[in-house]
Amino acid sequence: METITKQSPQGCNNICPTPPPLPGPAMNCRRKGSATKGNSCASTATRDLWDNLFDRGYRADVTIRTNDGGIIYAHAGVLGMASPVLRGMLKQAKGVGHKRLISIHGVQHDAVRVFIRFLYSSCYEQEEMKELVLPLLVLSHAFVVPQLKRICEQQLENSLLTLDNVVDVFQLSLLCDAPRLVLLTHRMILRNIKAVSATEGWIAMKRSHPALEKEILESMIYEDQMEKERIRKLNERKIYLQLYEAMEALVHICRDGCRTIGPCDKDLKDDQKPCTYEACKGIELLVRHFAGCKLRVPGGCIHCKRMWQLLELHSRLCADSGSCRVPLCRNFKDKIKKQFKKDEMKWKVLAKKILSTKRIGGEPYFLSSKSISSY
C-alpha cells in the first residue's frame, strides 16, 4: 500500500484509495453462518476491499487472456506475490504501454476469473466452487497456490465427490499430486466398480488411458485377495482362541472340578458359582462321552479322536506334567520323544500359534512360546 500512495494517479484528483484495515482476529478463522459474501479467512472489510480492487480493475497493469477470447484485468504485484509461476510469467511477458499480457488457456474463462479473484481476497462463492472445483484444482496446482488446492481437495472429500465424477477426480488427483484424494477416489471406485464402470468418465478413461484402467482392475483383484486373506487369518485366529479356551477348560475340570464333573478326590458342591470358562460345557460333554465310549481307540469314534487330540495338545503346552492332573499328560510327553520329526513339527507349529495368538506366556500351567521352540 505504500507503493500506491507514492504514485500520482491521473484522473482521480490525486485521491488514493483507502488502505485496508490492519489484520484482526477474524483473519485466523473461517466464520460460518455469517451474512458475508462467499467463504474466506479474511475479515469482511478487507475482503470487500480486495474484491472491489479486482472487480473494478483499478490501475490494473496486467491483461489475462483466456479461452474464447475472454479478458481479465489484474495487478502484477498481487499475482506475483500470490503465485511464483505467475511471477515468472510476468517477468517474461510482453506488453503494450504499461500493461503486460499473459495467457491462461486449457480451462473455461469463469474458472480463471474465480482463480484470480481468490488470489486477491482468498474467497470464493460456494456455487462457483461446486461448478468449477475440478478446473480450480488444476489451476491451483499448476500455479502453485497451496491454500486453494487444499480447499478444492476438502470440498471434493466432503461433498462434491460423486460416482459420476470420481474417475475424473481420480485422474486429476494423480496429475495434481494429491495423494489423499487419490486414495479416497480409488477406494470409492473399488467399492462401486459396477456403477462407476458405466459412467462416461470410465468410458473416456478406457479410451484414452487403457493402462490406468488395467491398473485399477488389477488393484481390485489384489484388494479382493487381501480381503480373503484377512478373513482367512481372522477365522484361523478364532480357531486358535477356541483351542486355547478348550485347554483352559480342560485344566479347570481336571484340577478344580466344575459343577458335576471333576477329579475323584474333589468334593463338588451344588452351590458353586457359575463357571466363567466358555468352553467348559463342551469339554464336560466330551469328557463324559470319552469315559463311556466303547470305541475309544483313536480312529474308532470322531468324538473320542477329538478328545485324544486335545489331550496330546495339552501335553505339549503343559509346563509341569509331573504334577498335572490332566489324564495321560505324562504318557503323551514320553510319546513325543518317539514321534516322527514331520509330525513333531506340525504339533510344535500348532502349539506356538495358540500361545502367540493368546499371548499367555505367563500362565502358571502353560509353557511360553519360546519354551516350545526350544524343546
Side-chain angles (χ1 to χ4, degrees):
M1 300 309 300
E2 194 173 309
T3 304
I4 296 175
T5 305
K6 290 181 179 180
Q7 291 176 351
S8 300
Q10 297 178 355
C12 61
N13 298 324
N14 293 329
I15 299 176
C16 297
T18 306
L22 293 174
M27 295 278 295
N28 299 323
C29 64
R30 175 171 299 201
R31 303 197 298 181
K32 298 181 179 179
S34 59
T36 58
K37 183 180 180 182
N39 298 271
S40 173
C41 297
S43 65
T44 305
T46 303
R47 184 169 64 250
D48 290 344
L49 182 64
W50 286 107
D51 273 343
N52 288 334
L53 183 63
F54 169 67
D55 292 336
R56 298 178 184 179
Y58 173 74
R59 296 195 67 182
D61 55 359
V62 178
T63 302
I64 303 173
R65 286 184 178 174
T66 63
N67 283 3
D68 302 324
I71 292 178
I72 299 172
Y73 296 105
H75 301 79
V78 176
L79 302 184
M81 290 301 297
S83 166
V85 177
L86 287 172
R87 189 186 313 145
M89 292 174 64
L90 289 169
K91 288 180 180 179
Q92 301 176 4
K94 296 180 181 180
V96 179
H98 296 290
K99 287 193 176 181
R100 280 173 281 186
L101 178 65
I102 61 175
S103 298
I104 300 179
H105 296 296
V107 296
Q108 55 265 55
H109 172 83
D110 288 342
V112 179
R113 180 185 57 79
V114 174
F115 171 70
I116 299 298
R117 178 198 174 195
F118 185 88
L119 300 184
Y120 278 77
S121 60
S122 297
C123 68
Y124 59 90
E125 298 287 354
Q126 187 60 41
E127 289 300 319
E128 292 176 335
M129 175 61 70
K130 185 176 180 180
E131 180 183 354
L132 303 170
V133 61
L134 295 185
L136 287 175
L137 176 64
V138 174
L139 289 169
S140 63
H141 173 74
F143 291 98
V144 193
V145 184
Q147 183 185 5
L148 179 58
K149 185 177 179 180
R150 284 194 298 270
I151 291 173
C152 292
E153 291 177 5
Q154 291 170 358
Q155 290 287 326
L156 285 167
E157 291 177 20
N158 296 335
S159 60
L160 301 182
L161 192 60
T162 66
L163 293 179
D164 291 328
N165 67 9
V166 66
V167 175
D168 296 331
V169 176
F170 175 66
Q171 295 180 85
L172 286 178
S173 302
L174 292 171
L175 296 173
C176 296
D177 190 24
R180 176 177 170 80
L181 204 53
V182 170
L183 180 62
L184 291 174
T185 51
H186 183 255
R187 286 179 176 176
M188 187 173 181
I189 290 172
L190 295 185
R191 286 197 304 265
N192 305 275
I193 187 64
K194 187 174 182 180
V196 171
S197 60
T199 61
E200 294 181 2
W202 180 275
I203 296 171
M205 180 189 69
K206 188 175 181 179
R207 288 197 302 264
S208 58
H209 299 95
L212 186 58
E213 182 204 21
K214 183 180 178 182
E215 287 183 14
I216 294 175
L217 295 177
E218 288 176 352
S219 68
M220 184 178 67
I221 296 172
Y222 174 76
E223 289 286 341
D224 186 56
Q225 292 174 344
M226 292 297 293
E227 180 65 16
K228 289 179 180 178
E229 180 67 13
R230 187 185 69 83
I231 294 173
R232 185 190 68 79
K233 287 184 177 180
L234 285 175
N235 292 334
E236 188 178 79
R237 175 181 170 80
K238 185 178 179 181
I239 292 172
Y240 294 146
L241 287 173
Q242 289 174 345
L243 286 173
Y244 166 74
E245 290 170 357
M247 294 297 99
E248 273 192 326
L250 182 62
V251 172
H252 163 64
I253 289 173
C254 297
R255 184 186 63 183
D256 307 321
C258 182
R259 291 176 295 204
T260 61
I261 188 170
C264 57
D265 58 347
K266 192 85 171 179
D267 292 331
L268 302 176
K269 299 179 181 179
D270 296 334
D271 58 346
Q272 290 187 54
K273 295 180 180 179
C275 184
T276 58
Y277 294 91
E278 294 183 6
C280 191
K281 185 63 177 178
I283 295 298
E284 178 184 341
L285 294 175
L286 197 60
V287 170
R288 290 188 182 280
H289 170 84
F290 185 73
C293 183
K294 297 179 180 180
L295 299 174
R296 192 187 304 171
V297 292
C301 172
I302 186 172
H303 300 295
C304 293
K305 180 180 179 181
R306 189 175 301 164
M307 190 66 202
W308 284 113
Q309 291 171 339
L310 289 176
L311 291 172
E312 183 170 357
L313 179 60
H314 164 79
S315 70
R316 293 178 179 275
L317 296 174
C318 185
D320 186 7
S321 59
S323 60
C324 182
R325 304 296 299 273
V326 177
L328 304 176
C329 183
R330 179 183 289 275
N331 299 58
F332 277 111
K333 284 282 189 185
D334 296 335
K335 178 185 174 183
I336 291 172
K337 302 174 183 177
K338 304 175 184 179
Q339 205 167 34
F340 291 112
K341 190 173 182 180
K342 185 176 180 181
D343 294 333
E344 173 70 7
M345 285 303 299
K346 288 180 180 179
W347 282 103
K348 270 189 177 182
V349 170
L350 177 60
K352 191 173 181 180
K353 284 187 175 181
I354 291 173
L355 291 172
S356 60
T357 299
K358 192 66 180 180
R359 302 187 185 279
I360 55 173
E363 289 290 343
Y365 41 84
F366 285 141
L367 293 169
S368 67
S369 57
K370 289 183 180 180
S371 302
I372 287 180
S373 300
S374 61
Y375 77 75

